[in-house]
Amino acid sequence: MSTGWIIALIVIVVAVALVAAALTLRSRGARRGPDLKRRFGPEYDRAVARHDGDAEAAERELAQRVERHGDLRARPLEPAERERFEARWTAAQERFVDSPREAVAEADRLLAEVAGTRGFPDGGQYEEQVAALSVHHAHHVDGYRRVHRAAHDGGGSTEEMREAVVAARALFDELVRHDTGRHHAGADRVRRERVRDHHTPWALHRRQAKES
């Protein structure tokens, strides 16, 4: 076989390999969108909105989060740790009636601490911690964002602060009571918590404010 034929065959093989690689990447890209949307749920929609509707840019960001944090295995809390965190949350919730801003700040600190204790990035790396939490607790991580904003941006109205802490409670419960990967089973429990919260001191504060 002449040198010319050998070169031609090499060129054909390389071209076929490149086409196959392109088709594989396109197929993976087509599957990635639905996979990410299923995994991230409302977090997917937030990412798309943050990228002004650019789904491809949002998917690249979410895929990078999975690459960085998808293998994270959160360590279980010891019973004493769980009790201590739950006691602090209860105390913060009770403090809300008299000192809502302090209660919001404590809720923000607690989420950072419990996440760090479970093995997520340290609370001092807030953005990276939230990114990691979004991979494993996508349905409730926005509650952390809301309470963090309330704690650091002036808090807003008392009702806005109350709603932020209620939203943050869902993530707190998952971090304290469940292992990573079990977050999709928490919807019914969250609804029960919200019903129960109707009778808490800060719910009473809300009703009193409406009546005054």
Side-chain angles (χ1 to χ4, degrees):
M1 183 179 291
S2 68
T3 303
W5 275 107
I6 293 174
I7 293 173
L9 285 173
I10 292 172
V11 170
I12 291 171
V13 169
V14 170
V16 170
L18 289 174
V19 170
L23 291 174
T24 299
L25 289 173
R26 181 178 297 178
S27 175
R28 288 178 179 174
R31 292 196 304 268
R32 185 176 71 175
D35 289 345
L36 288 171
K37 192 166 187 177
R38 184 164 49 251
R39 175 167 193 160
F40 282 93
E43 190 69 8
Y44 179 94
D45 296 330
R46 292 186 192 100
V48 172
R50 190 167 57 254
H51 286 277
D52 298 321
D54 188 340
E56 290 187 4
E59 288 167 8
R60 283 195 298 271
E61 177 192 329
L62 295 176
Q64 288 170 0
R65 293 191 208 174
V66 174
E67 185 177 349
R68 291 199 310 273
H69 305 294
D71 292 335
L72 186 149
R73 293 293 178 266
R75 78 165 183 84
L77 294 177
E78 297 294 334
E81 291 175 318
R82 181 179 295 107
E83 290 176 8
R84 184 169 66 251
F85 281 127
E86 290 183 331
R88 286 177 60 188
W89 188 277
T90 299
Q93 187 169 284
E94 292 173 349
R95 189 185 311 160
F96 188 90
V97 174
D98 297 319
S99 303
R101 295 187 189 281
E102 291 181 12
V104 166
E106 174 66 358
D108 179 51
R109 284 193 296 269
L110 269 171
L111 280 173
E113 288 181 31
V114 71
T117 303
R118 290 294 308 273
F120 288 90
D122 182 79
Q125 310 170 61
Y126 168 73
E127 293 296 342
E128 197 65 13
Q129 188 180 65
V130 168
L133 287 167
S134 75
V135 173
H136 298 279
H137 297 277
H139 288 258
H140 298 304
V141 69
D142 199 55
Y144 186 10
R145 292 195 187 98
R146 290 177 63 181
V147 84
H148 188 79
R149 285 195 300 268
H152 293 270
D153 296 341
S157 68
T158 301
E159 177 60 15
E160 288 170 338
M161 287 188 285
R162 189 197 69 82
E163 290 175 354
V165 180
V166 169
R169 175 64 186 264
L171 178 61
F172 175 81
D173 280 349
E174 286 194 348
L175 288 171
V176 168
R177 301 180 185 181
H178 297 281
D179 291 337
T180 293
R182 295 178 60 187
H183 53 285
H184 294 298
D188 290 339
R189 174 184 47 73
V190 172
R191 283 192 290 270
R192 289 196 299 271
E193 292 289 349
R194 286 176 177 171
V195 171
R196 189 188 70 186
D197 282 342
H198 179 75
H199 301 288
T200 62
W202 51 348
L204 177 60
H205 174 81
R206 182 187 183 191
R207 295 195 294 274
Q208 289 173 338
K210 287 183 176 180
E211 293 170 358
S212 63

